[in-house]
Amino acid sequence: MARRFENLVSARKSLKISLEKSKALGFALDKTGPRLEEIILRLPSLEAAVRPIRAQKEALVAVGGHIDRAVGPAAAVLKVFDAVHGLERSLLSDPRIDLAGYLSVLKRLEEALKFLADNCGLAIQWLEDIVEYLEDNSVADEKYLSNLKNSLKTLRELQTDEERARLDGGLLYAALEKLEAEFRRLLMEFSVPLPMSSATGEQACIAPSPLPVHVIQKLQAIIERLTANNRLDNCISIYVEVRSANVRESLQALNLDYLEISISEFNDVQSIEGYIAQWGKHLEFAVKHLFEAEYKLCNDVFEKIGLDIWMSCFAKIAAQAGILAFLQFGKMVTESKKDPIKLLKLLDIFYSLNKLRLDFNRLFGGKACIEIQNLTRDLIKRVIEGACEIFWELLVQVELQRQAPPPPDGCVPRLVSFITDYSNRLLGDDYRPILTQVLVIERSWKQEKFQERLLNDAILNIVKAIELNLETWSKGYEDITLSYIFMMNNHWHFYKHLKGTKLGDLLGDVWLREHEQYKEYYAAVYLRETWGKLPALLSREGLIMFSGGRATARDLVKKRLKAFNEAFDEMYKKQLNWVISEKDLREKTCHLAVQAIVPVYRSYMQNYGPLVEQDASSSKYAKYTAQSLEKMLSSLFRPKTGKFGSFKSRQYSSFNGKANDAVKSPLLRSSSTLV
């Protein structure tokens, strides 16, 4: 009984447990229903996802190798790309803090970018190959493959448009911009205008490099990196801009405003004669000090880049700094009106250029300086042709002025004094070698041989023409006694001013003595025909012992004094405006006139003056004292202010017009020197 009860209790527990399990299972089934519905909804996508598994076994086995080969290069590219980003902070810093370190980092960036440029295409190609393989063998989902294709297309476009991507703000572009800025800063900080005190001497000066060695080394290092990135042109532009500005600033201290003068702003060479003298000194300073230094510096800075590069750089600096302005000024002088002074200035220009010939050939001899070479050759050609043209026309110039009237005061014509002085300058040690060289070159251009006597003969012919002019002019005076003064003046001028000179040596001692003798001759003739005639008017005939009576003697003295006074007054008035140019000749001539008249007059008045001094009208006859006569005679022949040696004598101004009407000579037409 007990046993059956125990079995019943045991069955009851078992049933209760089963009911609880059934109940729990029912609850579980209630919860599983929605999940099954969700699974049913996802079955199509799951089926698509596992579809490749149904691909052929060979395709599934091969895809692993393709994926490994594609992922390897791509992973390397990504690693380098990450390294590039690691350089960003250093390359966006200021290069001046540590230029060497900055350049080192930049070089690493260049190497990284080169690796990316060389391998990005390869990685993309491998990825494209694996996508194509997956697509061909249906190993991957189409949507997934489509996304991969779009991504690879974008990468390919970025690769082919790499330069534009950099310009849009790439790290390399930013670093190169900073490097260019540092290049400019170094140049500007250490480019200092050359002080004038360093160029006071006339000796050639090979200037030291304008920049310290450590600065040059930094510039070279920057140039190397910029050149490696196709930025050499930018580098050269910066260098030319800064250094040419520095040279211009150095030249500003010389006050070179005259280089900007146009040919319409002056009448003739004389008005800018001072500028031409400055031009030669300034050009020498610019070439030997400034451009010499720039030439050396260009070589130092760009030496590793190559000769053509640094010569081109120097040519640009020279052109922009002002060498062309110097050459243009010289050309403007050659285009000015022709006159004899212009010949001297052209010779000065030739001397300056010839003095710098070796420097020009060395500094500007390269093909990069072709513009400077052409302008220099053209200037030299113009100078030589212009100088020779004026020189050979000098004789014509002198002959044309023969038509002019003589100077009204009998002085030495400006033409005579000018030509004698001018010829001496041409024959002097300063100009003769230059003129000879110019004439030699001009003859060689014409395939003719130059002979030394040609220069001497040309000068001698000019002097002969002057002598003939004097003979012609002396015949143009209505008063022959004035012609004596005129010839006396000119013969003495020849003797006094040519003796001991180059022209005097060329003419010879015999020629000089002849002119001295001619002076003495005309002086004697002048005295005889003028003041020498007056003593005869003070005759003592009829006055010895008052033979005719005192009243008769008084009348004779009055008559003779009156005649003397009238003759003296007329002669003095006539000669009052005559001129003897040279002081020694003037004083000697006046002394001879005094000696010819005053002693005779003094003696006459001592002996016979009392006869008229008691008369009420004595002042009419005893008009002068011996002292007043001497004073008047001694005051004769003095040059009027501005007459002798004047460049603007009325006589020659009017003559020039007549000569122009007679013969339209280019030299006469433009000459203001001799008028």
Side-chain angles (χ1 to χ4, degrees):
M1 187 65 175
R3 187 174 180 85
R4 292 178 58 190
F5 180 77
E6 288 176 2
N7 290 335
L8 182 63
V9 172
S10 178
R12 177 177 174 273
K13 287 181 180 180
S14 178
L15 181 62
K16 185 178 180 180
I17 292 171
S18 297
L19 288 173
E20 289 176 355
K21 288 182 178 180
S22 297
K23 186 177 180 181
L25 182 60
F27 284 130
L29 289 173
D30 289 340
K31 291 180 180 180
T32 304
R35 292 178 63 190
L36 290 174
E37 292 178 359
E38 183 180 350
I39 291 173
I40 293 172
L41 293 174
R42 292 177 59 190
L43 282 177
S45 58
L46 290 173
E47 183 182 8
V50 298
R51 186 179 302 127
I53 298 176
R54 298 197 302 266
Q56 295 180 1
K57 181 180 179 181
E58 294 79 2
L60 289 174
V61 172
V63 74
H66 284 285
I67 292 174
D68 290 340
R69 285 193 296 273
V71 170
V77 167
L78 289 175
K79 185 176 180 180
V80 173
F81 187 74
D82 289 339
V84 167
H85 280 287
L87 303 177
E88 185 171 346
R89 182 176 180 180
S90 299
L91 292 175
L92 294 180
S93 63
D94 192 341
R96 80 173 71 182
I97 299 173
D98 179 13
L99 181 60
Y102 191 92
L103 293 173
S104 177
V105 174
L106 177 60
K107 189 170 184 180
R108 287 167 56 193
L109 174 63
E110 293 171 14
E111 293 171 352
L113 292 178
K114 184 178 187 304
F115 177 85
L116 292 176
D118 293 341
N119 292 278
C120 274
L122 180 62
I124 293 171
Q125 183 63 51
W126 279 103
L127 290 173
E128 287 176 340
D129 289 346
I130 189 58
V131 169
E132 183 179 353
Y133 180 86
L134 293 174
E135 185 178 28
D136 292 343
N137 293 276
S138 301
V139 178
D141 180 53
E142 293 180 0
K143 185 177 181 180
Y144 175 73
L145 292 175
S146 177
N147 291 336
L148 279 177
K149 286 182 178 180
N150 290 334
S151 299
L152 292 174
K153 180 180 180 183
T154 302
L155 286 175
R156 181 69 74 181
E157 290 174 352
L158 288 174
Q159 183 198 21
T160 56
D161 204 12
E162 180 183 358
E163 285 300 319
R164 193 181 70 178
R166 290 186 186 182
L167 294 176
D168 286 341
L171 182 58
L172 179 61
Y173 175 80
L176 294 175
E177 288 289 301
K178 283 184 172 292
L179 211 52
E180 286 182 4
E182 175 64 7
F183 186 80
R184 180 185 293 275
R185 186 196 68 80
L186 285 170
L187 281 174
M188 295 187 68
E189 181 175 334
F190 291 93
S191 292
V192 180
L194 182 67
M196 297 301 102
S197 59
S198 64
T200 54
E202 294 185 0
Q203 294 182 349
C205 172
I206 304 301
S209 178
L211 299 181
V213 174
H214 74 277
V215 174
I216 293 177
Q217 291 173 345
K218 288 182 178 181
L219 294 175
Q220 289 176 333
I222 293 174
I223 291 171
E224 183 179 356
R225 294 271 51 83
L226 292 175
T227 302
N229 288 278
N230 299 319
R231 292 238 181 170
L232 179 60
D233 289 343
N234 293 7
C235 184
I236 291 176
S237 297
I238 294 171
Y239 185 88
V240 170
E241 176 189 342
V242 175
R243 292 306 303 177
S244 60
N246 188 70
V247 175
R248 286 196 301 271
E249 190 172 351
S250 299
L251 290 173
Q252 282 178 359
L254 300 177
N255 189 20
L256 300 179
D257 292 343
Y258 67 87
L259 294 180
E260 304 301 323
I261 296 176
S262 65
I263 196 169
S264 61
E265 295 181 59
F266 64 94
N267 295 323
D268 50 49
V269 169
Q270 289 183 62
S271 62
I272 59 168
E273 191 171 352
Y275 291 145
I276 297 173
Q278 289 181 333
W279 177 87
K281 295 178 181 178
H282 292 165
L283 178 62
E284 183 175 358
F285 168 77
V287 171
K288 288 186 174 294
H289 296 270
L290 298 179
F291 294 124
E292 176 71 47
E294 293 305 318
Y295 181 87
K296 185 177 186 302
L297 184 61
C298 280
N299 181 28
D300 291 343
V301 174
F302 293 96
E303 181 180 13
K304 297 178 181 179
I305 305 301
L307 176 65
D308 292 342
I309 296 298
W310 72 259
M311 281 296 294
S312 174
C313 190
F314 169 72
K316 292 175 183 177
I317 292 174
Q320 295 183 23
I323 188 65
L324 299 182
F326 277 103
L327 298 175
Q328 289 292 348
F329 178 83
K331 179 182 178 182
M332 181 198 64
V333 174
T334 66
E335 293 173 345
S336 63
K337 297 177 182 178
K338 288 192 295 182
D339 62 51
I341 292 298
K342 180 180 176 181
L343 169 57
L344 300 180
K345 298 303 104 183
L346 291 177
L347 294 179
D348 288 340
I349 291 176
F350 179 83
Y351 173 76
S352 297
L353 292 172
N354 192 55
K355 185 178 180 181
L356 297 172
R357 178 170 55 86
L358 295 179
D359 298 281
F360 263 75
N361 289 341
R362 179 169 51 84
L363 298 179
F364 309 115
K367 61 181 180 181
C369 297
I370 189 66
E371 181 181 10
I372 297 174
Q373 295 169 23
N374 290 338
L375 285 175
T376 303
R377 280 193 289 265
D378 179 66
L379 175 57
I380 293 174
K381 184 174 184 293
R382 287 170 175 270
V383 166
I384 291 175
E385 290 178 346
C388 291
E389 184 178 7
I390 294 174
F391 177 74
W392 295 121
E393 285 186 13
L394 285 174
L395 178 60
V396 178
Q397 171 87 354
V398 172
E399 291 174 343
L400 284 172
Q401 298 203 37
R402 194 172 299 157
Q403 307 170 52
D409 55 10
C411 72
V412 176
R414 178 70 182 106
L415 175 66
V416 174
S417 59
F418 176 83
I419 287 296
T420 52
D421 177 66
Y422 188 77
S423 298
N424 261 322
R425 294 182 71 181
L426 291 180
L427 293 172
D429 294 336
D430 290 338
Y431 282 112
R432 183 182 185 115
I434 307 171
L435 178 58
T436 300
Q437 187 175 1
V438 166
L439 294 175
V440 167
I441 295 173
E442 188 246 1
R443 287 278 170 159
S444 68
W445 288 349
K446 296 180 178 180
Q447 305 298 318
E448 299 176 6
K449 186 177 180 180
F450 174 80
Q451 298 178 346
E452 186 70 23
R453 64 178 180 79
L454 290 178
L455 176 56
N456 292 343
D457 289 348
I459 298 295
L460 290 174
N461 288 335
I462 291 172
V463 174
K464 290 177 182 177
I466 286 289
E467 291 182 298
L468 187 55
N469 283 10
L470 293 176
E471 292 293 335
T472 303
W473 287 334
S474 69
K475 297 173 183 177
Y477 289 106
E478 295 181 2
D479 188 333
I480 192 171
T481 55
L482 180 55
S483 72
Y484 301 151
I485 291 288
F486 175 74
M487 294 301 283
M488 182 173 60
N489 265 325
N490 285 281
H491 285 298
W492 183 242
H493 175 83
F494 279 144
Y495 177 78
K496 181 179 179 179
H497 289 277
L498 297 185
K499 186 177 181 180
T501 67
K502 296 291 184 180
L503 180 56
D505 294 342
L506 178 63
L507 293 166
D509 290 337
V510 173
W511 187 92
L512 292 172
R513 284 196 299 271
E514 286 178 352
H515 282 281
E516 184 184 24
Q517 293 168 1
Y518 276 126
K519 183 270 296 182
E520 296 291 345
Y521 167 76
Y522 283 110
V525 173
Y526 159 74
L527 188 64
R528 185 187 68 209
E529 296 299 322
T530 55
W531 307 113
K533 292 181 177 182
L534 295 189
L537 298 177
L538 299 177
S539 172
R540 301 189 180 209
E541 184 179 353
L543 299 178
I544 306 299
M545 302 298 291
F546 304 131
S547 58
R550 194 173 185 85
T552 301
R554 182 184 298 110
D555 290 340
L556 284 174
V557 169
K558 286 182 177 180
K559 180 179 179 181
R560 290 169 183 173
L561 283 175
K562 182 181 179 182
F564 174 85
N565 290 338
E566 289 175 350
F568 180 86
D569 288 346
E570 179 184 358
M571 196 170 295
Y572 181 81
K573 182 179 180 181
K574 180 172 63 174
Q575 297 188 29
L576 188 61
N577 291 320
W578 294 1
V579 170
I580 296 179
S581 307
E582 301 294 339
K583 182 180 179 181
D584 54 351
L585 180 60
R586 179 171 64 251
E587 291 178 348
K588 181 178 181 181
T589 304
C590 290
H591 178 72
L592 291 175
V594 168
Q595 291 300 311
I597 296 175
V598 173
V600 176
Y601 184 80
R602 181 184 292 113
S603 175
Y604 193 84
M605 292 302 292
Q606 287 174 349
N607 291 323
Y608 306 111
L611 291 174
V612 297
E613 288 173 354
Q614 305 298 326
D615 196 286
S617 59
S618 62
S619 61
K620 289 176 57 179
Y621 306 105
K623 186 175 180 180
Y624 299 107
T625 64
Q627 291 78 9
S628 63
L629 283 179
E630 182 175 356
K631 184 176 181 180
M632 292 174 69
L633 289 170
S634 298
S635 67
L636 287 173
F637 311 125
R638 294 181 180 179
K640 306 303 181 289
T641 303
K643 250 186 186 179
F644 178 67
S646 170
F647 278 77
K648 297 182 179 179
S649 167
R650 181 189 310 171
Q651 169 204 357
Y652 290 108
S653 295
S654 61
F655 159 67
N656 196 51
K658 294 180 180 180
N660 285 338
D661 293 338
V663 180
K664 298 297 183 180
S665 163
L667 184 57
L668 264 178
R669 196 159 55 238
S670 62
S671 174
S672 62
T673 304
L674 303 181
V675 298

